[in-house]
Amino acid sequence: MMRLSFNSILLYIITAFLSIINFSVAQNNENQKDELIIVYPKPNQIVSDQDGYCLLLGRISNTGKSLFVNSEKVPVDKNGSFLYYTKIILPEITDSIYLSEEKFVTGYFIFELAGNTTRDTIFYPVRISKPLKNLPEDKIRIDENFKIEPSEDLILNPGELLEIKIKATPNCKATFYIEGEKEKFPLADTPLMYQFYLSEAVFGSGFKLSKDTIKGIYSGHLIIPDEKWTNKKIIVQLEHEKLGKKEFTLKTNITVNQSKQVRVVKVLYDPNLVIGRTGPMLGYRMFLPEGVKAVYDGERSGFYRLKLSQNQSIFVPQSSVEFMPEGTPPPKSTIEVIRTKNESNYVRVEIGLHERLPFEVQTITDPLKLKVKIFNAVSNIDWIYFDPEQSLIQNITWEQLNNEELGITISLNQKHLWGYSFEYEGNVLVLKIKKTPKIQKRFLFFGNPLKDIKIVLDPGHNSDDGAVGPSGLKEKDINLILAKVTKEVLEKEGAKVFLTREDNPLPLRERKAKVLSFSPDFSISIHNNAVPDGVNPLKHNGFSVYYYNQNAKELAFYLHEELKNKLNIPDFGLYWDNLYMCRISETIALLVEPTFIIHPEQEELLKQNEFQLKIANAIKDALIKFLNEMRE
């Protein structure tokens, strides 16, 4: 007969009765609070789990005691810090729990501090979103835990595709129709299966697939007809062999745009430019300066869709544009002349338009080029002026890609793109392309590539703390220490180094302006990492480097290699990532995460001056290697 330990019996009892016992706070007395400090998660915090697993981060004050979580002994660092990844004890998600109005489920961890003669037990609650499950077939219903599409009011154009997706009682015949219309349209049964976990795909082992199959998901579509629909409802009809038939009215309202004239919007001022996205809250596509005009083409989820050309559009927040007076014609412009103009540190490329149009810039590295696509522009180009004082621009050519898109290719006569900016001056689109800085050649002991090179170091975070280590080390504090150590190392090599902040709070969205105020050759943002929920930090941790613009790719590779050679900790990877501090196109910008501050061993390394110098020297050596490679 198998014997159960006290811990196993306790765990079994707690698991069995969680669904009927509702503890609201962690049950621990003052002495226990002093002995056990949990940094993450906070009590009753909503966490994103993966298969019910979540990370735990904290410390114990008495290292003579043993720490257990859910009856498993937890490795504790010599200073009392711990990092652990374990399952949340969750109640059985019964139909009554799943169908309740509560969006989250409360689970627990059982912490135990065991001494020679004592054992203190703490029940620690967290919350997770209810995992999707199949609805019972006792009645026909819509699943409120599923995001119905569409879920917002829509203004659509004739010929546009409307997609519908709901989750309801399985094994139904599903159709839908538009309020006041007779024709019904089918909804196909499309079970959810083989879905991957996003956090694991980005920061973990790769594409880990869920084994669950969720039934009762019905999907369909409708090509919007040329009808005068105003605030029309979508009505879904579900028919089950045993349960009968029932109709549901979705909350969204459908309006068909019947205007005989287009509406034109103008982009408002944003110090960081307005972001044009591929869809509402989806990926970035382009950045729009103040005054750019575009055709309004519908709205979804608080975003306006702007028409770039016949088959291309972007989405911008409604608050980022204003409507022009009715009757304003669609924006368009011919282009007659392009000019270059030499300046001390850059060359201007001036493109004359008659109004401000959307555009996007693409970097081509081999051979080095900038390609500018201007929407709603037509070539009437007869003149391209090359300033004889400049040698950076090798050639400028143009191509009318179609009736609505003009492409301009700027071929560059240098090894590397050191940065570029764009803005409208009046209706003239100006690109400023940075020249290669003066780089000394190193020969034996003479010459220093870093001499007079301008570098901005950005200590990440502050006003917020950033991540916090198990011993309480705040990311904002160690980032500043690392930046100061690196500054000293680089200045010994002759570099001119600037910090975006000392102890002063500096919001993230103000940091680009701070970086550019120093006109740097490089911008390096220093952080220390914390894995997101749903990834095991005991398996996935270490150093990582991030870039966005193509001109930072080589430096990111060099820095990644230097960190690998110097730090002797795991390699978390090299990433292209759409991070704010990496998107500074005016310079060579990247972001480095030398460690996982939430990992007890790596947090302790961060406190050591020798390790801090290794990080600083990795940055220095990567910069020297890059400068030697890119010197003209």
Side-chain angles (χ1 to χ4, degrees), residues 233-294:
K233 294 290 187 181
I234 300 172
I235 300 167
V236 173
Q237 186 178 88
L238 298 171
E239 184 174 358
H240 191 277
E241 185 179 41
K242 297 180 179 179
L243 301 173
K245 184 186 298 184
K246 191 170 184 179
E247 289 190 344
F248 300 88
T249 300
L250 304 188
K251 295 179 181 179
T252 186
N253 292 306
I254 305 294
T255 297
V256 177
N257 182 11
Q258 291 291 326
S259 175
K260 303 302 181 184
Q261 291 186 314
V262 300
R263 293 298 310 273
V264 177
V265 298
K266 182 171 68 174
V267 174
L268 300 175
Y269 173 74
D270 186 316
N272 291 291
L273 304 181
V274 170
I275 299 166
R277 297 174 180 264
T278 57
M281 294 309 296
L282 296 183
Y284 292 16
R285 174 167 177 182
M286 62 174 60
F287 301 91
L288 303 170
E290 179 186 12
V292 165
K293 296 178 185 177

Side-chain angles (χ1 to χ4, degrees), residues 14 26 47 54 138 201 203 262 273 295 317 342 349 353 357-358 363 366 375 455 472 488 516 530 569 576 603 605 632:
I14 291 295
V47 298
C54 177
D138 58 345
F203 297 113
V262 300
L273 304 181
V295 172
N342 190 55
V349 178
L353 284 80
L357 301 178
T363 302
D366 189 19
F375 296 92
I455 303 165
E488 184 176 349
L516 296 182
I569 62 174
W576 176 91
E603 183 194 27
L605 286 172
E632 299 292 344

Side-chain angles (χ1 to χ4, degrees), residues 139-200:
K139 64 180 291 187
I140 298 176
R141 55 167 67 86
I142 295 284
D143 190 343
E144 299 294 338
N145 297 302
F146 185 82
K147 187 178 186 301
I148 295 172
E149 298 177 7
S151 57
E152 74 284 343
D153 292 346
L154 301 175
I155 299 178
L156 304 172
N157 296 314
E160 192 170 343
L161 191 70
L162 169 66
E163 295 183 78
I164 296 173
K165 182 179 286 188
I166 65 166
K167 182 173 179 294
T169 303
N171 299 315
C172 287
K173 178 184 176 182
T175 57
F176 76 94
Y177 63 95
I178 303 300
E179 176 188 12
E181 304 293 323
K182 294 181 179 180
E183 186 174 6
K184 292 183 179 180
F185 304 94
L187 289 167
D189 192 348
T190 53
L192 196 65
M193 54 199 307
Y194 306 129
Q195 300 298 302
F196 65 86
Y197 298 99
L198 181 60
S199 293
E200 187 73 17

Side-chain angles (χ1 to χ4, degrees), residues 486-501:
T486 304
K487 182 176 189 289
E488 184 176 349
V489 167
L490 294 174
E491 286 178 338
K492 286 180 180 177
E493 298 290 326
K496 297 179 178 178
V497 185
F498 311 91
L499 301 183
T500 56
R501 71 168 178 91

Side-chain angles (χ1 to χ4, degrees), residues 286-348:
M286 62 174 60
F287 301 91
L288 303 170
E290 179 186 12
V292 165
K293 296 178 185 177
V295 172
Y296 161 85
D297 195 37
E299 55 192 81
R300 291 173 183 260
S301 305
F303 284 76
Y304 289 145
R305 184 176 59 205
L306 306 185
K307 188 175 182 180
L308 298 176
S309 61
Q310 188 63 36
N311 298 312
Q312 298 191 63
S313 59
I314 56 173
F315 288 79
V316 300
Q318 292 179 1
S319 60
S320 66
V321 298
E322 65 179 6
F323 280 96
M324 301 293 290
E326 291 188 11
T328 300
K332 62 181 179 179
S333 178
T334 57
I335 296 176
E336 287 77 26
V337 59
I338 301 173
R339 296 180 60 90
T340 65
K341 183 178 181 181
N342 190 55
E343 300 287 353
S344 57
N345 296 321
Y346 55 88
V347 174
R348 292 165 55 100

Side-chain angles (χ1 to χ4, degrees), residues 533-551:
D533 284 333
V535 177
N536 187 347
L538 299 172
K539 291 183 178 180
H540 307 290
N541 59 75
F543 65 88
S544 52
V545 182
Y546 304 79
Y547 72 95
Y548 179 77
N549 293 309
Q550 288 299 306
N551 69 337

Side-chain angles (χ1 to χ4, degrees), residues 433-445:
I433 305 171
K434 191 173 180 181
K435 297 177 182 178
T436 303
K438 293 180 180 179
I439 304 171
Q440 287 191 8
K441 182 178 181 180
R442 174 170 282 177
F443 179 73
L444 297 177
F445 302 105

Side-chain angles (χ1 to χ4, degrees), residues 161 282 341 418 466 525 553 595:
L161 191 70
L282 296 183
K341 183 178 181 181
W418 288 83
S525 189
K553 181 177 68 175
T595 73

